[in-house]
Amino acid sequence: MTQIPRSALILGLAGLLPFLFGAGTLLSEGLARFGMDSFGPRFIGPYVQIFYGTIILAFMSGVLWGFATKATGTVATTGYGLSVVPALWAFFMVGGGPVSAQMNLITGFVGLLALDYLFWKQGLAPAWWMHLRVLLTSIVVACLAVGVLL
């Protein structure tokens, strides 16, 4: 089975909204004004992306931990160890100015994709996992790149 389950796809795509909104507010002054008036400065531009990206990297650490529970022996031990890397990366590397934080998030999400691949290759993730993760990671990285490039 390589088709992404509908609910996983819909929820995964919905999870992109803060990244898309942040990029949109960087590209559109009108959307930025709307965001500022409606939600405040923390929820526009790179700031919403940085806060949300940090949360998502920590969330994905939990997902990887769950995958590791399906393994045994040294594969499980390695899986548990690797599963905490995205959360630790976000904790230690997301800070400073918005550009460096976004660059570090991009690195974190690309690294997460590599971990996704490892867990998938070991048979710990569902067969459809990489189809979903490549799609979502590509969009997240593109949205974060808007802030880096502007």
Side-chain angles (χ1 to χ4, degrees):
M1 177 180 146
T2 58
Q3 184 175 353
I4 302 166
R6 186 175 176 87
S7 58
L9 179 60
I10 290 170
L11 290 170
L13 292 173
L16 295 172
L17 291 174
F19 292 110
L20 293 165
F21 186 74
T25 60
L26 288 167
L27 297 170
S28 166
E29 187 176 318
L31 188 59
R33 220 174 306 110
F34 167 78
M36 179 69 92
D37 294 344
S38 300
F39 310 116
R42 182 175 174 208
F43 294 98
I44 64 168
Y47 305 106
V48 68
Q49 294 178 326
I50 293 165
F51 292 131
Y52 188 67
T54 300
I55 290 167
I56 293 301
L57 282 178
F59 170 80
M60 290 305 297
S61 276
V63 171
L64 296 178
W65 182 278
F67 290 159
T69 65
K70 295 171 67 177
T72 59
T74 59
V75 173
T77 301
T78 303
Y80 291 130
L82 291 173
S83 73
V84 300
V85 170
L88 291 173
W89 178 265
F91 181 76
F92 286 111
M93 300 305 292
V94 177
V99 172
S100 66
Q102 285 177 299
M103 288 173 48
N104 286 333
L105 281 173
I106 288 170
T107 303
F109 279 101
V110 171
L112 171 62
L113 188 61
L115 292 175
D116 284 322
Y117 178 77
L118 175 66
F119 281 75
W120 175 77
K121 196 73 172 160
Q122 293 173 331
L124 302 174
W128 50 265
W129 187 250
M130 288 310 295
H131 293 288
L132 178 64
R133 294 301 304 139
V134 168
L135 171 67
L136 298 179
T137 301
S138 299
I139 296 169
V140 167
V141 167
C143 289
L144 290 168
V146 169
V148 171
L149 299 173
L150 290 183

